Amino acid sequence: MARKRRDNDAAVAAIRASLQHRAFASALQASELQLAKHAADAELWGLKGQALQGLERWADAEACFLRGLESSPGNARLLVLQGHLYTRLGRGQEAIASYSRALGKDPGLTDAYRGLLNFRAIPADAPEVAELLGLALNERRADSSRARALFLLGQIFVDAGLDHPGFAFFRQANTLIAKTIERGKREYQVSTAAAAMTAEFFRRHARSEAAAPACPAIIVAGLPRSGKSLVENLLAAHPLISAGGELALVRKLVGSLHQGQGLEALAARLAVTTVSPLGQHLPPAVPGARYIVDTSPANLSRLGYLALLHPEVPIIFCRREPLDLGLALYFKNFRSGHRYSYQLASTGRAIALAEKLMQHWRQALPNPIFEVQYEALVQDPRGTQQTLLSSLGLPPATPRERPGTGAEWRVFPSRSIESVGTISPELIGFAQRFHSQLAPLAKAHAEEAARPGFVSRAGNGGRTRRRGA
């Protein structure tokens, strides 16, 4: 029995990894094999349903979750996943019902509160607030778990117009997370090779047309909350473009390179490579699609390596007004990475560094480069879409059918529309409500913007943070 459980645990871990790498077909096949042996395992039904969603088999995913709930009645995690599906399908009332049922089974399930807040505000004096306060104050819980409750309390109070206590909850949440991060790893990191990759550098290492390998990627680059997902959704409405999400193709490319011989020698080698290492990192092609979009923030500082191998790949930079972007980052509880986002000053430095990087790449890279300003995008999404498609040389086409939009979806700085909400300009200028609280961010941003180069400088003693490619 113990061996069977270990085998199932190993299979579940492998399925999760397949889902993370967007290998939805293999995740589906593996989950079905495991369900044949463990038909009452609620986690397996959840994994199968997520694989079906990845394949855009919406009706099958819904049936899967219903079948799982028959096998494990009232399983709170399955109910949350069902709520996420209804959210993507724009079926708000059903999503609310699923999240509410999940909380009835497990009042400490913060993912269910987060799901509910997509559709309705929770009053600051509601019983749910007392439950979340209990979670936040429980020192027996992990700091990350307590922080999740504090992030939700911050949103509830800001929703209610109680900005000062709301921001205080966000500050407490960020402080808890920052405590878990080593001091030397709290700054935005930039590849130390970026500054050496100038226009002259790329002219010296220009690729031969005959040697150029093919790559179907479109890179949408920028910090989180800068509009990358919005751009991806607009592009993926075209039948020739597939949404890849945060594939991190460039980061994976750099990780696969042997760099011991130095940058110049590596560049010379890449210039004559006829087979692209990126091929092994691309997910299975979507039928009919010519391009796949990668929105990973990890690509930004490494774009020079992509240009050496694929100067033909289009790059779209996403920018946003610094205070609005900084607030959105500070209000966001990231599941992993973005360790600079838990302190206001390091967030301000990160935004300035990203802006300088984008300006540097615009001047240096041989790739086709486009820029999207968040404010213009949300005020005229259709115009932005048409401009981008035309710039990419794509003909107008009838967009492929996608899930319905959620008319009940609520706008908040920390949330992405995730293919369900209507693009709205409502968040432009939102940070003005917190102008005084964001003063450390604004000061750090201005100071970093005035410095030359891309090496971030921490506020304590001016020490630098360096990392290789």
Side-chain angles (χ1 to χ4, degrees), residues 207-232:
R207 288 190 61 82
S208 162
E209 286 290 332
C215 181
I218 296 173
I219 304 298
V220 180
L223 292 180
R225 324 307 315 136
S226 62
K228 293 186 289 80
S229 294
L230 301 182
V231 169
E232 180 182 47

Side-chain angles (χ1 to χ4, degrees), residues 230-290:
L230 301 182
V231 169
E232 180 182 47
N233 287 332
L234 291 175
L235 292 175
H238 194 285
L240 294 179
I241 301 179
S242 170
E246 295 188 2
L247 296 172
L249 293 174
V250 186
R251 178 179 61 78
K252 293 172 183 175
L253 167 66
V254 174
S256 70
L257 299 176
H258 299 291
Q259 303 181 57
Q261 69 269 53
L263 181 60
E264 291 288 336
L266 174 62
R269 178 164 62 85
L270 289 179
V272 296
T273 299
T274 57
V275 178
S276 174
L278 279 180
Q280 62 184 309
H281 303 302
L282 288 167
V286 174
R290 185 189 303 170

Side-chain angles (χ1 to χ4, degrees), residues 237-469:
H238 194 285
L240 294 179
I241 301 179
S242 170
E246 295 188 2
L247 296 172
L249 293 174
V250 186
R251 178 179 61 78
K252 293 172 183 175
L253 167 66
V254 174
S256 70
L257 299 176
H258 299 291
Q259 303 181 57
Q261 69 269 53
L263 181 60
E264 291 288 336
L266 174 62
R269 178 164 62 85
L270 289 179
V272 296
T273 299
T274 57
V275 178
S276 174
L278 279 180
Q280 62 184 309
H281 303 302
L282 288 167
V286 174
R290 185 189 303 170
Y291 299 102
I292 185 164
V293 179
D294 181 0
T295 63
S296 173
N299 292 329
L300 179 58
S301 76
R302 303 168 171 90
L303 289 173
Y305 293 93
L306 175 74
L308 289 167
L309 191 64
H310 291 292
E312 83 288 355
V313 167
I315 297 169
I316 301 171
F317 289 127
C318 292
R319 304 183 62 149
R320 187 175 182 181
E321 194 282 324
L323 280 187
D324 281 349
L325 177 54
L327 184 78
L329 289 166
Y330 196 65
F331 279 11
K332 175 70 174 176
N333 182 17
F334 291 102
R335 292 187 182 275
S336 63
H338 312 298
R339 291 170 293 193
Y340 58 85
S341 69
Y342 299 105
Q343 295 177 303
L344 290 171
S346 57
T347 302
R349 285 191 286 272
I351 294 170
L353 281 164
E355 290 170 342
K356 289 192 288 186
L357 261 175
M358 286 186 270
Q359 181 60 27
H360 170 71
W361 291 137
R362 283 183 66 89
Q363 296 172 349
L365 296 179
N367 301 66
I369 291 179
F370 314 99
E371 185 169 296
V372 173
Q373 189 70 30
Y374 176 91
E375 290 74 19
L377 164 63
V378 298
Q379 291 183 45
D380 184 15
R382 178 64 177 163
T384 301
Q385 180 189 50
Q386 291 176 330
T387 299
L388 287 175
L389 291 176
S390 175
S391 299
L392 292 167
L394 292 175
T398 302
R400 63 187 177 203
E401 189 173 339
R402 301 180 67 82
T405 57
E408 302 159 283
W409 185 264
R410 300 175 62 247
V411 175
F412 195 76
S414 64
R415 290 200 303 266
S416 160
I417 66 166
E418 297 175 344
S419 304
V420 298
T422 301
I423 296 177
S424 165
E426 188 175 333
L427 293 179
I428 295 176
F430 191 92
Q432 289 304 313
R433 288 170 53 175
F434 305 93
H435 189 269
S436 60
Q437 293 98 325
L438 293 175
L441 185 152
K443 180 174 183 290
H445 175 270
E447 290 174 347
E448 184 59 52
R451 293 189 183 107
F454 311 120
V455 180
S456 60
R457 295 153 174 84
N460 54 345
R463 290 180 295 170
T464 60
R465 309 296 185 209
R466 296 181 179 269
R467 185 173 71 183

Side-chain angles (χ1 to χ4, degrees), residues 103-258:
L103 286 172
K105 297 293 181 179
D106 183 358
L109 198 55
T110 49
D111 279 350
Y113 290 106
R114 186 177 295 110
L116 276 177
L117 284 168
N118 289 327
F119 296 99
R120 64 172 175 84
I122 296 176
D125 59 354
E128 292 94 335
V129 172
E131 184 70 39
L132 287 168
L133 277 170
L135 297 174
L137 294 172
N138 186 349
E139 295 185 355
R140 291 174 296 178
R141 297 171 65 90
D143 284 344
S144 59
S145 177
R146 295 174 62 199
R148 283 196 294 272
L150 286 163
F151 275 110
L152 292 168
L153 287 166
Q155 180 177 336
I156 289 169
F157 276 70
V158 169
D159 272 340
L162 301 170
D163 289 351
H164 288 288
F167 197 90
F169 281 124
F170 280 116
R171 183 184 288 115
Q172 289 176 287
N174 280 286
T175 299
L176 276 179
I177 299 292
K179 278 172 47 182
T180 69
I181 302 170
E182 293 179 39
R183 185 172 295 276
K185 297 181 179 179
R186 297 179 186 176
E187 295 291 324
Y188 183 69
Q189 304 293 319
V190 177
S191 168
T192 52
M197 293 180 168
T198 62
E200 173 56 31
F201 171 83
F202 290 110
R203 282 192 289 270
R204 288 200 308 273
H205 299 288
R207 288 190 61 82
S208 162
E209 286 290 332
C215 181
I218 296 173
I219 304 298
V220 180
L223 292 180
R225 324 307 315 136
S226 62
K228 293 186 289 80
S229 294
L230 301 182
V231 169
E232 180 182 47
N233 287 332
L234 291 175
L235 292 175
H238 194 285
L240 294 179
I241 301 179
S242 170
E246 295 188 2
L247 296 172
L249 293 174
V250 186
R251 178 179 61 78
K252 293 172 183 175
L253 167 66
V254 174
S256 70
L257 299 176
H258 299 291

Side-chain angles (χ1 to χ4, degrees), residues 41-58:
D41 191 317
E43 185 173 13
L44 285 170
W45 286 108
L47 293 170
K48 178 181 177 180
Q50 290 175 77
L52 288 165
Q53 285 185 81
L55 295 169
E56 299 191 2
R57 291 169 55 180
W58 314 111

